[in-house]
Amino acid sequence: NVNAVSNGTSISNPNSETAIVGTGTNTAKPNTPKVSREILFEQALQSGDMDSLRMLAFTGVPEKVRGVTWKVLLGYFELSNPNSWPTIQVNNLELYRSFKKEVMREWESADEAARRP
């Protein structure tokens, strides 16, 4: 079973640890290079091919690309703008830290109020 990827390559058996990549044909050739699933994920991320990314992720995501893949699939990162990912990550981490400080202050205030007679 070979599935076409939008960049013209084909993926054979996306469930295996490696997949056979061809030139858009529906048959794998004996001399076709084997490419790891990790590389296929990286290619889908770099090309902005959300359909291929979803198809590949359906059977599991390699550990090395799992974090960024799920952030893209869940809409945390925009696949079309990978240059913005570091900025988004930093901004959201700072927002989380600020929220955490605020919650801790509220808990401390509530704890102090509860101790007063």
Side-chain angles (χ1 to χ4, degrees):
N1 182 17
V2 176
N3 299 303
V5 179
S6 69
N7 64 4
T9 61
S10 298
I11 301 172
S12 174
N13 192 5
N15 297 326
S16 69
E17 201 54 37
T18 59
I20 299 173
V21 176
T23 58
T25 63
N26 286 336
T27 59
K29 297 180 175 130
N31 61 353
T32 305
K34 290 194 175 200
V35 178
S36 73
R37 284 181 45 78
E38 187 176 293
I39 291 172
L40 294 173
F41 273 90
E42 289 172 353
Q43 289 173 347
L45 287 165
Q46 290 172 359
S47 69
D49 189 351
M50 185 64 94
D51 291 335
S52 292
L53 192 61
R54 285 183 183 127
M55 180 193 70
L56 289 165
F58 186 76
T59 57
V61 182
E63 188 174 342
K64 183 178 177 185
V65 293
R66 189 172 294 149
V68 70
T69 297
W70 279 109
K71 287 176 183 177
V72 168
L73 290 172
L74 294 171
Y76 183 82
F77 289 154
E78 291 181 37
L79 186 56
S80 62
N81 192 7
N83 293 331
S84 70
W85 297 354
T87 303
I88 291 169
Q89 186 74 24
V90 168
N91 290 344
N92 285 336
L93 184 58
E94 187 57 38
L95 182 63
Y96 167 75
R97 288 180 178 153
S98 173
F99 175 72
K100 183 178 170 184
K101 285 180 185 177
E102 183 180 328
V103 168
M104 293 303 291
R105 273 183 275 173
E106 289 176 10
W107 283 353
E108 289 170 358
S109 295
D111 189 40
E112 287 176 18
R115 290 185 196 170
R116 294 184 194 141

